[in-house]
Amino acid sequence: EVQLVESGGGLVQAGGSLRLSCVASGFTFNNYAIGWFRQAPGKEREGVSCIRHSVPNIYYADSMKGRFAISSDNAKNTVYLQMNSLKPEDTAVYYCAASPLTCRPREYDYVYWGQGTQVTVSS
């Protein structure tokens, strides 16, 4: 069956770094765009970044520019989100999701979703 499993979240101090992983199985990884989304308490879910055929695409948000980077290891069916210079406002549940289309910021274009991993940044 289809699975997307996120890992790598946790508690980190402001200014620190985390690398999130998303391991996909049960579908043809190379035929899908894999996106990262996040949702903070009381906030709408927002797109972070996306990658398809090893080509990254960035969702524009001033708070994340220059700090986050997406990459993939296709042999391992894995997508990563490197997060540097973390801020308390980055605290959220981070999800990976798969779309049969090209990278798009609209969450309803994504048909498979992981369970999410919690990132908490303390000040």
Side-chain angles (χ1 to χ4, degrees):
E1 66 277 9
V2 171
Q3 287 192 78
L4 292 168
V5 180
E6 303 96 332
S7 62
L11 177 64
V12 64
Q13 292 185 333
S17 298
L18 287 172
R19 188 183 72 165
L20 306 183
S21 298
C22 172
V23 180
S25 62
F27 63 97
T28 305
F29 181 79
N30 291 339
N31 290 344
Y32 285 76
I34 307 296
W36 283 100
F37 295 80
R38 70 182 187 183
Q39 187 167 25
K43 303 289 186 179
E44 295 183 349
R45 187 157 53 193
E46 65 175 337
V48 176
S49 193
C50 181
I51 191 166
R52 181 175 181 267
H53 296 163
S54 300
V55 180
N57 287 269
I58 300 171
Y59 298 151
Y60 293 99
D62 289 342
S63 64
M64 292 180 280
K65 288 180 180 178
R67 300 189 297 117
F68 292 5
I70 194 169
S71 63
S72 65
D73 184 340
N74 292 335
K76 296 181 178 180
N77 286 357
T78 301
V79 172
Y80 304 97
L81 182 67
Q82 180 68 45
M83 305 186 295
N84 299 323
S85 301
L86 284 163
K87 305 174 181 179
E89 52 262 45
D90 295 319
T91 295
V93 177
Y94 285 72
Y95 301 89
C96 66
S99 169
L101 307 173
T102 56
C103 285
R104 301 182 182 191
R106 298 177 299 180
E107 64 182 75
Y108 48 82
D109 289 329
Y110 293 79
V111 296
Y112 304 132
W113 289 82
Q115 83 288 349
T117 185
Q118 177 71 49
V119 172
T120 303
V121 184
S122 65
S123 58

